[in-house]
Structure formats: C-alpha cells, structure tokens
DNA sequence: GTTCCGCATGAATCGATAG
DNA sequence: ACTATCGATTCATGCGGAA
C-alpha cells in the first residue's frame, strides 16, 4: 500500500509557499480569511486592500500548481455600507492578468445558512467557488462525482422489471436494442455547477469554514490517488482530513498555532 | 377599482427610453439578449463589445428609475475559448461608475438547465440576478414574499423535492447535502438570495426567457399595487403579464415586432 | 378520470471542418 | 492564423395521446 504524506506548516503562507517546489501540486482548495472577518485571528484585512493583500499569494500558487492542476477558491464578497463590495470581481480580473484562466464559477448553495433578517436584504445562502487553471487543458475525472438521475428516469425506470432492463442491455450488445435502452440503462447523470451542501455548524471549538463534502467533491473531481492537494489557509484541517481519507498527499499551511494543533489531532485520530 | 396601464413600445430601447419621464419607474426587471446569443432575432453582440453596447441603456435606466426604485438584471456570461468571459463583472464595475449601487446578487438556480457533456466543464445551471439601486435606501416589501409555503415556495419547491431527495439520500457525494425534507416540513418559507426555478420550455411559438415566477417574485418584493414596472427587453411579455395580474402598471419595450404581437395578444387575453 | 409513456425542446459547449 | 458554421453530446420538463 502506498504511503500518504500529510504535511502541516505553521506560519504565514506568504513565507511558507516560496519553499514549495514549482509545478508540484495537483489541486489547491482553500477558503481564505474574508475581508474584515475574523479580526481576532488574522488581523482583518480591509476590503479596499484585500486584493493587494491576496495577489502575492495567488502569484505563488500559480508557480506551485502543476500545469494540469486546478485552483478552487471559496470566497464571497461582504456587504460594505449597503453594497456588495467589488473586491472579489476585482480579484478575478487581477488574477487573469497574473496568468490565471478563470475557467468556471461554481455556486455553493448553503442550505442551512445562518438565520437573520435585515431591512434591505435577505439571508445570504450562497458563496462563490471560483475555478482557476494554468491552461485550458487540465485533469478532470467527471465520472467520480456523478449523481443519480432525476425524476424522469427514477419514476419511469422503476416500473420496468430487472429482467426487462437486462434484456434491453443485452439487446444493445446484439444490435437489437432500441435507442431508448441507452437511456434506460443509465442511472447516473453528470452534476451541474451548483453544489447543494449544508454547512456543518456542530463544531464551535474551531470555525469550520466549509463542510467536508466540499473539498471531497473537488478532490474526487480534479485529482487521482497519490496526487498532491494544497490548502494555504488550512484552518482546522478539513481539506487535509479529506485528502488523507481519499489517499491524496496533502500540504496545509496555517498561521494560527491553535488551529494547527487541532488539525494535527484530527489527522492523528485518522491515522490510528 | 384602479385602472392598470400596460404599455407596449415597439422599437430599440435606446431610442424609446429617452421618451420616458425621469424618476418615474419603481422597478426594472429585464433579461437583455446575452452576448452572441439569439443572432437570428437580435443582432448578436460580441462579448468584447457587450459592455459598451449596454452602458447607454443602463444610463437611461438610471434616469428613469425612481430614487427608491430597484433594477434587477438577469444575465450570465458565456464561455469564450474555454474561459468565462469577464463582460458581466466588467459591466458591474462600469455601472457603479455611472452611479448605480450594486446592492445584491441573487442566484437563479435553473433546475432544467441545458444538457450537454464536455471534457472540462459541467452543465451551467445558474444565472445572475443582479440588483442595482440608485440609493442605499429603497422600497422593499419583504413580508410579501415571506408567505407561508402556499404561494410561491410550495409550487416551485415541491417539484424540486423528488429529485433532490433521491440525490440526497443516495449520498453519492458522501454527505452531499442533508435532508431537504427539513425545508418542506417548515410552514414558513423564509426567502434567501437563491431562487430555485425551472425554465418554462413551453412548446408554443415563442420561447419564454424566464418563468413567470421570477418577475412575480421581484414585483411583489419591490413594488406595491399601482407602482410602475419597466422591462426594456420585453420579449414575449412575461414581465408585463405578471405586472398586470398583480395590478402594477407596466411598460414594455421590444425590438422585434413579432414578439410585440405575442405580448399584445397575451395581455389582451388576460384583460378578457 | 387517473396514470403512464413518447417526444420535442431548450440564453450550452466543444471539436472538427470549411472559407 | 483566425473566424464562421455544424454535428454530437446531454437531461429536466411539460404536453398530449394512450392504456
């Protein structure tokens, strides 16, 4: 059995990242501290200066990522004086100038988002999952994340007996099958770019940024076993736990020592 | 009973809009022709020139809208050479320079998005619903869309449940969302900024751009009876039909004469 | 009168082919 | 090289005819 490496670096990723090898990582999944959020731990970057603060990091990530790799950035602009701030879309434009391709924007629909009500605003129940690449061609394993088919197949396929289904499939092989049999024999469909995932609000000891299902989905989609996953803002280590469970090597960087310890204990638990 | 006006103007909105009074409209809801789409009916604007093409329109809309009014823009960037084009986020930045406030971005999750399979991309199942305002304070009737699960949510969400429940229960993504049943069992649907609506693929002669539920939701949220609703890219008149049904005055502008006729007939049917 | 099934139809995207 | 057109691929939905 292959040995899986799980590295944790404590420190500022701007200082740690230069130590990583060029073109060495297959997937970067991270949720950086949002602008002006978590002031007590990260010092809180002002929204107007967020892009300038973050661009040196993305420059290093561009270097570290393999040409066939993918960078998934979980981010959402906050409301500043009644308006959505533009630092996220500014960041997209600036990252393209750095050489990144803005391949896609997934939507993370948070089903059980925090309750709350404002006079001019509803609850914010979605976040951006920006996909960036170094090239237009990159590795993608779409079959790994297929989902069951919708009502059409479920409701109508159900009435066919199993022998009927088998018979249809055998007909395909012998050339007697109907075109429909191609459809009926299928149980799964490819997903879309909207991900429905509930937030995990059970752990209050550490701020769980995103649920395990999120890095898991992208790890399955963009990496194979033995590939390398990087999270430059590791937090409590959700990404690394998932990577290890899926037999991917992983590197986590985290400024706060307390989070590093939480991550180490979670990794250790799993190793046992 | 109050008389409800429903005006239809045939022509280019760039020429018609200057004829409308300043500060006269409470809500603008529209879905302009997307870049390089619908070439047969509309010209088909190149993505690189889309912003310059659209800005004169938004300048007029800014003049026409009441200070307390809201502008909802339904739009989505297309893929150009393997990358999401930036004309939508460019447009946001340019509209802010015009004086618009980018208050919020709603997500329209399209259940039945266009099918297809590509080597490095999944189906696109969401569009942007950008909310712009002239001031930080604007009219908003939240209670009108916070109805119990009867009115809007029941009908739209009920259909969603079968597929989603199947997909959730299968746990293909391992924890890929929790139980939607929590949503369904709740008596009150607190709206968020994510709207789940299927496109209406009627087999009629005209293709409805967006489902009636969409302008209906925003008309209830941002206008009262007797207010004025404007759709500068009317299409077949979905927005105007909804406005009339909800007892809002409305103005529609449409370049294609054929669509104007369709809209007139739909309005006429309703009047009977 | 239900339920069931066939079918057309989409604000799509990519790769190949043609001018 | 660079653009324009076309076929192949894919799946949720609602309508209408059939059982």
């Amino acid at each position: 059995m292959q040995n899986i490496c799980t590295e944790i670096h404590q420190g500022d990723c701007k200082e740690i990242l230069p130590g990583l090898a060029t073109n060495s990582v297959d997937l970067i999944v991270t949720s950086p501290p949002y602008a002006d959020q978590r002031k007590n731990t990260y010092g809180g970057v002002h929204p107007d200066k967020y892009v300038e603060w973050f661009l040196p990091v993305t420059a290093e990530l561009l270097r570290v990522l393999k040409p066939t790799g993918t960078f998934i950035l979980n981010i959402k602009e906050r409301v500043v004086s009644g308006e959505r701030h533009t630092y996220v879309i500014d960041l997209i434009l600036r990252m393209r100038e750095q050489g990144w391709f803005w391949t896609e924007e997934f939507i993370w629909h948070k089903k059980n988002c925090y309750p709350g009500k404002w006079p001019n605003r509803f609850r914010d129940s979605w976040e951006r999952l920006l996909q960036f690449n170094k090239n237009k061609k990159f590795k993608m394993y779409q079959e790994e994340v297929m989902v069951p088919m919708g009502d059409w197949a479920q409701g109508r396929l159900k009435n066919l007996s199993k022998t009927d289904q088998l018979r249809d499939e055998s007909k395909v092989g012998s050339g007697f099958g109907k075109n429909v049999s191609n459809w009926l024999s299928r149980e799964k469909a490819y997903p879309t770019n909207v991900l429905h995932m509930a937030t995990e609000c059970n752990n209050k000891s550490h701020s769980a940024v995103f649920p395990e299902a999120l890095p898991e989905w992208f790890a399955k989609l963009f990496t194979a076993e033995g590939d390398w996953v990087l999270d430059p803002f590791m937090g409590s280590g959700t990404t690394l736990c998932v990577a290890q469970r899926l037999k991917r090597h992983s590197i986590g960087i985290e400024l706060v020592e307390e989070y590093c310890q939480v991550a180490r204990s979670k990794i250790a638990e799993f190793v046992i």
Side-chain angles (χ1 to χ4, degrees), chain A:
Chain A
M1 177 189 164
Q2 198 181 10
N3 234 0
I4 295 300
C5 306
T6 306
E7 301 178 10
I8 293 180
H9 299 266
Q10 191 267 318
D12 189 337
C13 66
K14 288 185 185 181
E15 298 169 7
I16 305 288
L17 282 173
L20 300 187
T22 301
N23 298 333
S24 61
V25 168
D26 296 278
L27 172 66
I28 303 168
V29 185
T30 197
S31 187
Y34 293 0
D36 230 354
Q37 306 280 69
R38 296 198 284 183
K39 278 182 183 172
N40 47 347
T41 54
Y42 283 100
V45 183
H46 191 278
D48 293 340
K49 298 180 179 176
Y50 193 83
V51 175
E52 295 302 328
W53 169 79
F54 197 45
L55 279 175
V57 178
T58 58
E60 273 301 298
L61 296 178
L62 184 63
R63 181 186 63 82
V64 167
L65 190 67
K66 285 184 187 174
T68 57
T70 294
F71 174 24
I72 297 294
L73 177 60
N74 171 220
I75 198 168
K76 178 72 189 251
E77 59 272 10
R78 54 163 298 184
V79 175
V80 177
S81 64
E83 204 183 4
R84 288 283 169 195
H85 201 280
T86 59
Y87 58 82
V88 173
I89 58 183
D90 288 329
L91 180 65
I92 294 172
L93 297 176
R94 296 292 296 276
M95 284 179 65
R96 290 186 77 247
E97 292 175 3
Q98 282 184 327
W100 289 102
F101 284 98
W102 181 33
T103 306
E104 179 60 300
E105 179 170 348
F106 292 83
I107 293 296
W108 172 20
H109 174 220
K110 299 185 287 186
K111 287 182 177 175
N112 56 347
C113 60
Y114 292 98
K117 176 187 168 187
W118 298 267
N120 274 341
R121 192 172 293 281
F122 285 136
R123 287 175 298 157
D124 189 4
S125 66
W126 65 277
E127 293 190 13
R128 303 177 196 277
L129 292 162
L130 303 171
Q131 177 188 347
F132 294 97
N133 292 94
K134 290 176 79 166
N135 295 295
K136 293 173 184 175
K137 295 284 188 181
F138 49 88
K139 292 195 300 184
M140 195 176 193
Y141 307 91
Q142 299 186 347
E143 325 72 54
E144 298 300 320
V145 293
M146 291 185 83
V147 294
M149 269 235 173
D151 295 333
W152 184 85
Q154 293 290 343
R156 300 179 181 184
L157 181 63
K158 202 164 46 183
N159 294 331
L160 288 177
S161 67
K162 285 184 180 178
T163 51
D164 281 341
Q165 292 179 43
L166 288 173
R167 196 164 51 202
D168 278 342
E169 288 185 24
S170 65
K171 281 179 182 174
V172 175
S174 58
F176 282 101
K178 307 169 285 186
N179 282 339
V180 194
S181 59
N182 285 334
W183 289 83
L184 292 176
S185 62
R186 293 183 52 186
E187 294 180 355
K188 293 187 176 181
Y190 292 99
T192 69
N193 56 1
V194 175
L195 308 182
H196 303 270
M197 295 183 202
T199 54
E200 293 170 355
C201 48
N202 42 5
N203 291 340
K204 62 178 181 179
S205 60
H206 46 271
S207 60
V209 181
F210 43 45
E212 283 203 0
L214 208 145
E216 178 172 340
W217 197 79
F218 288 109
K220 285 180 178 174
L221 181 58
F222 290 119
T223 67
E225 289 191 10
D227 281 357
W228 283 89
V229 178
L230 167 64
D231 186 346
F233 300 95
M234 180 185 64
S236 59
T238 304
T239 300
L240 270 66
C241 286
V242 169
Q244 195 177 59
R245 178 158 49 83
L246 298 177
K247 297 178 182 172
R248 272 74 168 169
H249 305 294
S250 59
I251 303 169
I253 306 172
E254 172 57 44
L255 183 62
V256 181
E257 172 59 27
E258 183 187 340
Y259 285 160
C260 287
Q261 290 180 3
V262 174
R264 286 192 201 97
S265 65
K266 284 163 69 175
I267 300 291
E269 280 179 18
F270 184 84
V271 169
I272 294 168

